Amino acid sequence: MKEPFKVWNNVYAVGSADISHPDDCIVYLIDFGELVLIDSGAGSSFDTLVTNIEKLGFDPNRLKTILATHAHIDHIGSLYKFQQIFGAQIMAHALDAKGIQQGIRIGAELYGVYYTPCNIDRIVKDSDEHIRFEGGELNIIHSPGHTPGSLTAYIDTDNRRVLFGQDIHGPYYVRWGGDPKQAKKSLQRLLKLKADILCEGHFGIYQPASEVEKYLKGYINSL
């Protein structure tokens, strides 16, 4: 397995298929003084994720919030443990809440893992929310397409706009709650953010801004 690494300034990658477990999405850590995770992997890598946070010099007890970007097992598998052991507050959109809180249509059977449902502490209902932490602001955007309640987020840090676009690439399968038309609108909205760095959910880091634009336009044009 590869080591966790810094993406930019206060943004780190602590998990992925080659950092924590083959089933995991890319798990990002933001240091706002308080720690914030973007997603939590598929569930088998909890201990590794904690170790990777520590390897980067952070105390996992400072973990305050996890943004669950959507209700698929490779993104929500360790939510319960982070909530129970470290008291992390879980945030997710109302339209994906049933999957997280009841384990319905999350794809756990496809990965052969057991999912423990957990409560959502803060349900996002609006199109946009801005969550203030002691060292910065997490801007959350409802971005349906991959699932009805998919969320993206961005931060502005050290003169760069960093966009967390977990699974904005799809797939947009209708049987899994996907909607290609909504996906195109969501991608067009993200394009207008003019992000300098894209932290994608499975395909890695894209930068500078021209590469982010190219990535987003590629999917827009395919829909």
Side-chain angles (χ1 to χ4, degrees):
M1 286 288 177
K2 295 182 179 179
E3 293 295 309
F5 63 92
K6 177 184 282 193
V7 175
W8 175 261
N9 194 29
N10 60 336
V11 178
Y12 304 82
V14 297
S16 72
D18 55 3
I19 294 176
S20 52
H21 191 280
D23 291 341
D24 286 351
C25 68
I26 304 178
V27 180
Y28 295 101
L29 173 74
I30 308 170
D31 176 20
F32 285 127
E34 305 165 83
L35 300 180
V36 175
L37 278 184
I38 307 295
D39 289 328
S40 70
S44 299
S45 62
F46 172 77
D47 291 339
T48 302
L49 292 172
V50 172
T51 297
N52 285 346
I53 292 170
E54 293 172 334
K55 281 182 177 180
L56 290 168
F58 297 111
D59 180 357
N61 289 293
R62 289 169 51 205
L63 179 61
K64 299 299 182 183
T65 302
I66 302 177
L67 178 65
T69 61
H70 62 282
H72 284 166
I73 187 63
D74 52 327
H75 297 258
I76 64 172
S78 288
L79 291 181
Y80 176 82
K81 284 189 175 181
F82 277 114
Q83 186 179 61
Q84 291 299 307
I85 294 174
F86 296 110
Q89 301 287 295
I90 309 302
M91 293 183 59
H93 196 276
L95 294 176
D96 274 25
K98 184 178 288 187
I100 294 169
Q101 297 188 136
Q102 299 180 29
I104 296 172
R105 294 185 69 189
I106 61 171
E109 69 281 1
L110 301 176
Y111 287 75
V113 298
Y114 176 78
Y115 173 69
T116 303
C118 67
N119 292 323
I120 299 173
D121 300 289
R122 181 165 183 165
I123 293 181
V124 177
K125 296 180 180 179
D126 298 325
S127 296
D128 301 288
E129 290 207 14
H130 307 280
I131 312 302
R132 196 63 209 166
F133 296 94
E134 63 183 60
E137 186 172 69
L138 182 67
N139 305 282
I140 300 170
I141 302 171
H142 181 211
S143 304
H146 183 51
T147 68
S150 287
L151 296 171
T152 55
Y154 71 90
I155 64 172
D156 294 315
T157 176
D158 195 20
N159 298 314
R160 295 289 189 276
R161 175 162 288 179
V162 182
L163 173 64
F164 300 93
Q166 305 287 74
D167 291 21
I168 56 175
H169 62 274
Y172 317 115
Y173 297 143
V174 175
R175 68 179 182 274
W176 285 99
D179 187 323
K181 290 183 178 179
Q182 284 192 325
K184 187 168 188 175
K185 290 180 180 178
S186 294
L187 289 165
Q188 289 170 332
R189 188 177 183 203
L190 297 179
L191 184 63
K192 293 178 181 178
L193 292 175
K194 299 186 181 299
D196 300 288
I197 303 171
L198 169 63
C199 293
E200 217 273 346
H202 291 277
F203 299 147
I205 316 298
Y206 293 81
Q207 57 182 318
S210 59
E211 288 300 310
V212 179
E213 180 180 5
K214 180 181 177 181
Y215 179 93
L216 293 172
K217 283 185 173 179
Y219 284 99
I220 290 170
N221 292 336
S222 71
L223 292 168

